[in-house]
Amino acid sequence: MKKLGIIVLFVLVVAGLCFWLPKPADKKSDGKLAVVTSGYVAYTLTRQLAEDLADISMLLPPNAEPHSFEPTPGALVAVRQADVFVYISDTFEPWAKDIAAGAGKNTQVVKAAAALPASADPHIWMDFDNVRVMAQTIEGALAAQLPEQAETLAQNLAKFNEQLIALDESYKKGLSACQGREVVHIGHLAFERLAKKYGLTLTALAGTSHDGEHSVRRLAGVVDLIKKHHIETIFTEETLSPRLAQTVAGETGAQILPLYTVESISKQDFDNHITYIDFMKRNLENLQRGLKCQA
Ligand SMILES: [Zn+2]
């Protein structure tokens, strides 16, 4: 009798647990895809292509650090309930790679950088050619999910590509005649690709992720460089603490201008739907101001 009681109790507990499990999302019930993205780069690219066709959400909250983010168990649940999960790459977001591995067979996983060669620098979106490849990968996956919207998606992709080509032209032209070509960035090494592409020299305070050490020696080296080369502007990362940049500015008299990594976003910019294109335009404007480039 006691044994039977234990079995009944066990069945009740299991039934109870099942009852509390999150219900699967009602996929495509309103004709829209349920798309979960890892962080802001994946989010803004996906929105650029399918803003009106999909309910797009993001796992990384505004202001959070994307390289070493630790998602909650709820993130995996959200991904398993989605039609599509978009992330950038395994090297940029190792945590998203883990989530993708547990996504389940009902969720299509899209690694945006899948068609790009592996790179030691994970900030691949700092090259507009790479962004075009990534956008095409995302568009292909969305079109497979929404074949009836294939034409709209192809049009959105074409429009985005035009914007990227125009932006590349603006960078080439806008950074061709500048008084200075040295970008001193009091942040992590996110802009190396961009600097190289447009013939700028970049000195960053830390490595390719935010957890690099801002050693006193390195800071002193940056201050020496600014003084020696008479650099008048230093660049910061908006979502990092301004303390270090203020220290360097105090030592050197340099002015401070922000550069936007796109991988992190403030709550205000997120709420205002600031796009990848918007951020890269802001970056060009600030580089032109800081390096004193001819318009
Ligand atoms: Zn980064």
Side-chain angles (χ1 to χ4, degrees), residues 65-67 92 121-123 125 188-191 207-210 237 261 263-264:
E65 197 284 303
H67 292 275
F92 170 47
D121 176 6
H123 305 93
W125 59 93
H188 78 303
L189 202 54
F191 298 98
T208 48
S209 69
H210 286 135
E237 261 172 61
T261 61
E263 64 185 19
S264 301

Side-chain angles (χ1 to χ4, degrees), residues 29-40:
S29 61
D30 55 357
K32 284 190 175 184
L33 271 186
V35 181
V36 173
T37 61
S38 52
Y40 199 67

Side-chain angles (χ1 to χ4, degrees), residues 104-170:
K105 62 181 184 338
N106 294 327
T107 305
Q108 184 181 2
V109 172
V110 183
K111 180 160 65 176
L116 291 169
S119 165
D121 176 6
H123 305 93
I124 47 178
W125 59 93
M126 286 295 163
D127 181 324
F128 303 126
D129 292 335
N130 286 347
V131 175
R132 279 162 61 194
V133 174
M134 289 195 284
Q136 190 163 13
T137 300
I138 298 170
E139 189 266 349
L142 297 178
Q145 289 278 336
L146 290 174
E148 67 282 7
Q149 299 289 352
E151 203 175 315
T152 307
L153 285 162
Q155 281 169 0
N156 291 349
L157 178 65
K159 213 185 295 169
F160 186 43
N161 280 342
E162 277 170 26
Q163 290 178 294
L164 292 169
I165 290 166
L167 205 51
D168 180 42
E169 284 302 318
S170 305

Side-chain angles (χ1 to χ4, degrees), residues 1-2 19 21 61 85 92 136 173 177 186 228-229 266:
M1 219 31 217
K2 198 176 169 191
F19 181 74
L21 280 177
F85 174 54
F92 170 47
Q136 190 163 13
K173 214 173 140 209
I186 311 301
K228 200 173 152 200
H229 293 199
S266 69

